[in-house]
């Protein structure tokens, strides 16, 4: 039987790539852990928390209030990332707006408690837009360009307003591209795993530029630890947004060559070629902008730091995907 004196921690979207990793990171804590998703979620290996899987559609009226009732902390990972008819979300995509903004707006309305519940939100470092040059540290003016980034910023501001009103303690972690071995219920469709799958299929790895565009790429286990650390330091962080990353961006040409080499070691074949190709029609300005992030503000407040070197993280991801 669950122990009522243990705090209730709720992960929304717990079957997804990042949600499943955060669920696993919280599973050994002395909490009641509720994993909410459209599908059944199995307890992570080594789970010692009082674990509950809850199948629910968060866009249905009244469902969200029910699954977060009494929560001490909520991690809202449910999101609509891609549009119904294409790669990017359209401005008039009402399903995406309901999932990416409406759920957060409702969450800010229904959460209550003393102390105020903690909400750790997954933002994106692309929310700032492409107008900023140089290294991002979280103090920049936000001018998001794509629909998804605008929705992320809107949701983040809802949480900040609710924090200022004392209804909750909201924290936004603005993430770089996150990758790593996905859980059985999840599918990592980010650039690293996509390119690993292409290499496993013997296909060339294609770039929409000359390979010098840089990205800060974060291992999913390190990202999950950041969310847990944010919950642990909620009083110090509440009301703010913080950049998360390794602190070191890498040219994508070098990253793709690391991927080709890692896959070759697991398949016993020659590395696939890395080539430049013309960009597709759905590419936008952020695809051709290098991104450097400074996570020092979050690290100083929590003690968190990235523990997994890029090459090791790529090797582990390639091994997991090669094993199928």
């Amino acid at each position: 039987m669950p122990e009522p004196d243990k705090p209730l921690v709720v992960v929304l979207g717990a079957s997804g790539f990042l949600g499943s990793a955060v669920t696993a990171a919280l599973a050994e804590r002395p909490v009641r852990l509720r994993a909410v998703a459209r599908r059944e979620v199995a307890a992570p290996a080594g789970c010692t928390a009082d674990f509950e899987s809850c199948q629910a559609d968060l866009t249905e009226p009244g469902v969200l209030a029910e699954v977060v009732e009494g929560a001490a902390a909520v991690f809202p990972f449910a999101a609509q990332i891609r549009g119904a008819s294409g790669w990017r979300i359209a401005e008039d995509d009402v399903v995406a707006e309901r999932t990416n903004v409406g759920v957060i707006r409702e969450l800010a309305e229904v959460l209550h408690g003393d102390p105020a519940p903690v909400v750790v939100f997954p933002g994106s470092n692309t929310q700032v837009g492409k107008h900023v040059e140089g290294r991002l540290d979280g103090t920049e003016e936000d001018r998001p360009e794509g629909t998804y980034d605008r929705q992320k910023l809107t949701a983040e501001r809802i949480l900040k307003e609710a924090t200022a009103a004392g209804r909750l303690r909201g924290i936004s972690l603005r993430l770089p591209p996150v990758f790593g071995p996905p859980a059985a219920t999840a599918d990592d469709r980010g650039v690293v795993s996509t390119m690993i799958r292409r290499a496993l299929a013997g296909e060339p790895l294609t770039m929409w530029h000359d390979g010098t565009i840089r990205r800060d790429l974060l291992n999913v286990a390190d990202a999950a630890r950041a969310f847990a650390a944010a919950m642990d330091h909620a009083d110090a962080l509440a009301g703010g947004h913080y950049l998360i990353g390794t602190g070191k961006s890498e040219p994508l040409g070098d990253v793709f060559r690391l991927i080709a080499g890692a896959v070759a070691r697991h398949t016993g074949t020659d590395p696939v070629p890395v080539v430049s190709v013309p960009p597709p029609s759905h590419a936008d300005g952020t695809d051709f902008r290098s991104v450097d992030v400074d996570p020092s503000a979050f690290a100083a407040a929590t003690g968190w730091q990235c523990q997994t070197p890029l090459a090791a993280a790529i090797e582990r991801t390639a091994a997991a995907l090669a094993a199928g």
Side-chain angles (χ1 to χ4, degrees):
M1 290 289 293
E3 297 181 34
D5 58 330
K6 291 182 178 180
L8 174 62
V9 178
V10 180
V11 181
L12 306 176
S15 64
F17 177 58
L18 188 52
S20 61
V22 171
T23 299
L26 299 171
E28 297 183 10
R29 293 188 170 219
V31 300
R32 291 180 289 146
L33 181 57
R34 180 176 295 159
V36 182
R38 290 177 182 266
R39 69 185 86 174
E40 187 75 15
V41 178
C47 179
T48 56
D50 293 338
F51 183 82
E52 173 192 358
S53 176
C54 178
Q55 289 183 262
D57 180 353
L58 299 177
T59 64
E60 292 293 326
V63 170
L64 182 62
E66 181 179 348
V67 299
V68 302
E69 175 66 30
V74 179
F75 295 85
F77 293 110
Q80 183 81 15
I81 298 173
R82 290 168 175 80
S85 59
W87 181 261
R88 308 287 183 185
I89 293 175
E91 291 284 356
D92 59 353
D93 190 329
V94 295
V95 174
E97 200 282 338
R98 172 69 182 106
T99 305
N100 298 338
V101 179
V103 166
I104 300 303
R105 183 178 291 112
E106 184 178 350
L107 190 63
E109 294 170 353
V110 302
L111 274 180
H112 57 85
D114 185 17
V118 177
V119 178
V120 188
F121 176 74
S124 171
N125 62 22
T126 57
Q127 288 172 221
V128 70
K130 65 179 182 181
H131 67 288
V132 179
E133 297 294 334
R135 193 168 173 85
L136 304 177
D137 64 8
T139 63
E140 300 80 13
E141 180 184 359
D142 294 313
R143 298 180 193 170
E145 297 191 351
T147 302
Y148 180 70
D149 286 335
R150 285 193 288 271
Q151 289 176 349
K152 280 287 187 185
L153 183 60
T154 298
E156 183 180 277
R157 286 174 173 169
I158 290 169
L159 291 177
K160 288 181 177 180
E161 291 169 1
T163 300
R167 297 196 300 273
L168 52 80
R169 288 173 287 168
I171 305 157
S172 178
L173 302 188
R174 294 192 178 183
L175 300 167
V178 177
F179 75 98
T185 59
D187 179 19
D188 173 17
R189 293 177 288 179
V191 62
V192 173
S193 291
T194 295
M195 291 301 164
I196 289 174
R197 292 188 178 97
R198 287 187 183 178
L200 287 168
E203 300 173 0
L205 308 187
T206 56
M207 303 179 295
W208 303 343
H209 41 72
D210 63 0
T212 60
I213 300 298
R214 301 184 312 279
R215 290 289 183 273
D216 191 325
L217 302 167
L218 183 64
N219 180 256
V220 67
D222 287 320
R225 289 191 306 100
F227 279 87
M231 180 180 70
D232 293 339
H233 297 82
D235 286 339
L237 301 174
H241 67 263
Y242 302 87
L243 295 180
I244 306 299
T246 68
K248 182 182 180 183
S249 62
E250 300 287 351
L252 285 178
D254 293 349
V255 173
F256 286 12
R257 283 182 280 273
L258 282 174
I259 290 170
V263 170
R265 284 188 288 277
H266 289 284
T267 59
T269 60
D270 291 334
V272 298
V274 177
V275 298
S276 296
V277 298
S281 60
H282 59 70
D284 67 21
T286 59
D287 294 313
F288 307 99
R289 170 178 168 266
S290 292
V291 180
D292 295 278
V293 300
D294 179 1
S296 60
F298 183 76
T302 65
W304 174 90
Q305 61 181 350
C306 177
Q307 295 181 346
T308 314
L310 177 64
I314 288 175
E315 195 76 31
R316 293 174 193 172
T317 308
L321 294 177

